[in-house]
Amino acid sequence: MNEKNPPAIRLRGLEKSYKDLRVLCGIDLDVERGGVFALLGSNGAGKTTLVRILSTLLRADAGTATVNGFDVAGRAARVRESISLTGQFAAVDEILSGRENLVLVARLRHVADPGAVADDLLARFSLTGAGARRASTYSGGMRRRLDIAMSLIGNPPVVFLDEPTTGLDPQARVEVWEAVKGLADNGTTVLLTTQYLEEAEQLADRIAILHEGRIIVDGTLEELKRLLPPAEVEYVEKQPTLEEIFFAVTGGSERGRPARRTAPSEK
């Protein structure tokens, strides 16, 4: 690894407990710059705890973590300058219009020409036509897209999206997926936590599975597929889905095994 250009995120031996409950049990992880890195895990796996540590909202018990080359414990202010965090629920002011929300955040961050920044982000996230409307009139997908747009003001190199599609309907989820793809296309490093297997499959360049406080696999989707035996082929080859991989590596149910595909018997 070239330390003059360190990974966007690096974790070594990261641990966190709440009294007797061990949530993170020695996490080692590198997230390269650019693209979408998905952290996949069930509810309670420790995904949000990890994001809170990386965003300086929570202290680890042991180990080290750096974001954009800065130690999260020793240089928290520089880390906060480098990141943006979008949680599970859209943090928009519903009384203000979409454009006013963006202008407000731009002014708080002392960005030059807040109006121009707001207009650019409205266009980028396909919200120009709704920019003058109160955010309270927005659909769930529109609010989430506005929330992500607000998080990009100041051009942070690293963005944390903590289960960004929780509670959204399928159409709104697709809208958010398109927004996330746009972030990666523009060179932003996105750490996405999700419990939706299809979401990780659709968006991520690399995927890590967090299970019982540990990273148990880390790789591209194709690399993860190779963890399972080759699909049985009679007439049609069925490649393992990410859901099957997840249950296989976490020791889950038989859903983790590739299904056997056969053709109907010929009469």
Side-chain angles (χ1 to χ4, degrees):
M1 178 66 64
N2 181 2
E3 292 306 322
K4 292 183 179 179
N5 186 30
I9 300 167
R10 170 173 284 176
L11 311 177
R12 291 293 181 269
L14 204 68
E15 298 182 9
K16 182 64 182 178
S17 298
Y18 298 102
K19 295 184 178 180
D20 295 331
L21 177 63
R22 295 191 71 192
V23 179
L24 302 177
C25 307
I27 303 293
D28 293 330
L29 188 66
D30 283 342
V31 177
E32 299 304 322
R33 294 178 182 273
V36 180
F37 188 101
L39 185 62
L40 186 62
S42 305
N43 279 334
K47 304 185 302 296
T48 296
T49 295
L50 182 56
V51 168
R52 287 175 61 83
I53 291 171
L54 292 175
S55 55
T56 75
L57 298 175
L58 189 66
R59 276 192 171 270
D61 297 332
T64 61
T66 61
V67 177
N68 200 32
F70 302 113
D71 181 80
V72 298
R75 306 191 70 183
R78 295 303 302 272
V79 171
R80 289 192 287 270
E81 291 173 357
S82 303
I83 67 170
S84 185
L85 170 62
T86 297
Q88 297 180 20
F89 304 99
V92 302
D93 189 323
E94 296 191 351
I95 296 176
L96 300 179
S97 69
R99 187 177 189 275
E100 287 169 340
N101 269 282
L102 291 165
V103 169
L104 175 62
V105 174
R107 287 175 175 167
L108 290 173
R109 294 187 178 176
H110 307 290
V111 173
D113 201 349
V117 170
D119 291 337
D120 177 68
L121 286 168
L122 287 171
R124 182 173 166 184
F125 286 87
S126 303
L127 292 169
T128 299
R133 286 167 39 197
R134 282 190 176 188
S136 60
T137 68
Y138 284 14
S139 67
M142 292 170 68
R143 290 186 197 186
R144 178 55 75 188
R145 278 153 48 208
L146 176 61
D147 194 26
I148 295 174
M150 290 163 60
S151 74
L152 294 185
I153 293 174
N155 296 314
V158 180
V159 172
F160 299 122
L161 300 180
D162 188 18
E163 303 199 31
T165 61
T166 295
L168 296 184
D169 61 48
Q171 178 58 42
R173 185 169 294 140
V174 170
E175 292 176 4
V176 173
W177 288 357
E178 292 303 315
V180 174
K181 290 175 183 176
L183 298 184
D185 290 344
N186 282 280
T188 304
T189 301
V190 179
L191 177 63
L192 168 76
T193 74
T194 183
Q195 57 181 311
Y196 298 124
L197 306 177
E198 183 186 7
E199 187 160 275
E201 200 163 7
Q202 287 285 332
L203 295 176
D205 301 297
R206 292 187 68 84
I207 300 165
I209 295 179
L210 181 62
H211 182 63
E212 296 182 349
R214 301 182 187 277
I215 299 292
I216 55 175
V217 292
D218 171 14
T220 66
L221 180 58
E222 290 305 313
E223 288 170 344
L224 299 192
K225 285 181 177 180
R226 291 197 290 270
L227 295 175
L228 297 187
E232 294 184 30
V233 179
E234 292 188 7
Y235 292 92
V236 178
E237 180 183 20
K238 181 183 183 298
Q239 291 293 333
T241 66
L242 184 56
E243 181 175 5
E244 290 169 335
I245 296 165
F246 178 84
F247 283 108
V249 300
T250 59
S253 69
E254 289 188 64
R255 296 168 67 191
R257 301 190 310 182
R260 187 169 181 267
R261 295 287 295 273
T262 59
S265 300
E266 294 184 6
K267 296 183 178 180

